[in-house]
Amino acid sequence: MKTNKATTFLAIVSMLLLLAACSETISNVEDSLEARNELKSNNINLTSGGSCTYSGILTESEIEGLMEMREEEKLAHDVYLTFYEEYGYLIFNNIAESEENHTNAILQLIDGYELTDPATSETGVFTNPAFTELFNSLTEKGSGSLIEALKAGAFIEEHDIKDLQDLLAETENKDIYRVYINLLEGSQNHLQAFVSVLAKQGETYVPEIISVEEYQEILGATTNQSNNFSGKRNSYTGNQNCDGTGHGF
């Protein structure tokens, strides 16, 4: 009987030590994420009183892109906030805050060009029904387990990366491009964070939207993948219409 108790005690101690180690590792990932998000938010210039002027005529595709990204970034925010409320897992709250900055960056462009904001203030409700369906689908899938919620997060970031790359390739507007390039970097960072936390949970994430080659490049990159747009990006630096970023793009 004493031997059984001792064995049980040692098993419990070992489990607690394992959980503590796992928690510490995840905390390190989240601390790194928070630092990168803070830097990215500074780059985007989201100060409500910022001095910005907008000029030029947007194409229909550029307007549609802004409408899409306004709600797509809100989708990410709403899903992560829902998962944080369900699991209390800090990474969801950290990235939700970053996504709120992202959707506000798009709103600044929408307001600057005197367009009508499509976003609602209600969680999980969107003007575009496709995003409402996606929100319901992702939150339902993520409600099954923490692992599924983390995978849903990685999927959302893949979705953002692909859409932002398409929009970057289409726009010639410097204001829009400057914001999109920063959002792309943010989405790549978020994807790295979700994949890292999944790995600590013993799970391997398999990309569903972007290619395996691009996925591996993002995970192993010492510089972000937005460098794929470096030529166009460099042609826009020094021509900023917004004050306060201090970082070009």
Side-chain angles (χ1 to χ4, degrees):
M1 181 66 70
K2 290 183 178 179
T3 301
N4 289 339
K5 288 183 178 180
T7 301
T8 301
F9 175 75
L10 289 174
I12 292 173
V13 170
S14 298
M15 183 178 294
L16 290 174
L17 289 174
L18 179 62
L19 290 173
C22 181
S23 177
E24 181 179 358
T25 302
I26 292 171
S27 177
N28 290 339
V29 171
E30 291 171 343
D31 287 345
S32 175
L33 172 68
E34 185 175 357
R36 285 185 289 179
N37 284 345
E38 182 177 357
L39 175 61
K40 191 52 52 193
S41 295
N42 289 338
N43 284 347
I44 294 175
N45 180 32
L46 299 179
T47 305
S48 59
S51 174
C52 295
T53 57
Y54 300 94
S55 60
I57 299 175
L58 302 185
T59 65
E60 285 299 319
S61 63
E62 286 171 336
I63 293 173
E64 290 175 4
L66 288 175
M67 300 298 109
E68 175 185 347
M69 288 313 302
R70 168 68 166 150
E71 292 206 294
E72 188 165 328
E73 297 294 349
K74 179 183 182 295
L75 168 73
H77 168 270
D78 290 359
V79 170
Y80 299 154
L81 201 59
T82 299
F83 287 158
Y84 178 65
E85 291 173 352
E86 182 169 356
Y87 297 106
Y89 213 61
L90 189 58
I91 191 172
F92 292 121
N93 186 60
N94 285 347
I95 301 185
E97 291 179 356
S98 178
E99 299 295 353
E100 184 172 10
N101 287 342
H102 290 186
T103 194
N104 285 339
I106 301 297
L107 177 60
Q108 185 168 315
L109 289 170
I110 289 173
D111 289 344
Y113 283 99
E114 299 182 347
L115 304 174
T116 301
D117 180 21
T120 73
S121 59
E122 188 175 351
T123 300
V125 177
F126 304 87
T127 299
N128 186 336
F131 289 120
T132 302
E133 293 176 10
L134 192 54
F135 173 85
N136 292 334
S137 173
L138 290 168
T139 52
E140 181 180 358
K141 179 180 179 181
S143 66
S145 70
L146 174 60
I147 296 299
E148 290 302 318
L150 291 167
K151 288 181 178 179
F155 174 84
I156 288 173
E157 299 307 330
E158 276 195 84
H159 197 286
D160 279 0
I161 288 169
K162 179 62 169 63
D163 286 348
L164 284 164
Q165 287 173 335
D166 290 344
L167 292 172
L168 279 163
E170 294 174 359
T171 187
E172 294 295 332
N173 181 283
K174 297 181 178 68
D175 302 322
I176 294 175
Y177 194 93
R178 188 177 302 112
V179 172
Y180 283 173
I181 202 75
N182 281 308
L183 300 191
L184 176 60
E185 293 174 12
S187 292
Q188 290 162 348
N189 287 341
H190 296 167
L191 177 59
Q192 289 176 332
F194 279 123
V195 171
S196 295
V197 172
L198 279 165
K200 302 307 177 185
Q201 298 279 344
E203 295 287 331
T204 300
Y205 181 74
V206 179
E208 299 183 43
I209 299 177
I210 62 177
S211 69
V212 173
E213 292 75 17
E214 182 179 1
Y215 172 71
Q216 292 299 334
E217 286 178 0
I218 291 173
L219 296 189
T222 55
T223 57
N224 59 69
Q225 293 298 302
S226 65
N227 286 339
N228 292 336
F229 297 90
S230 59
K232 193 171 180 181
R233 172 179 187 158
N234 289 339
S235 72
Y236 285 172
T237 56
N239 295 308
Q240 299 181 61
N241 291 326
C242 289
D243 299 329
T245 63
H247 298 283
F249 283 92

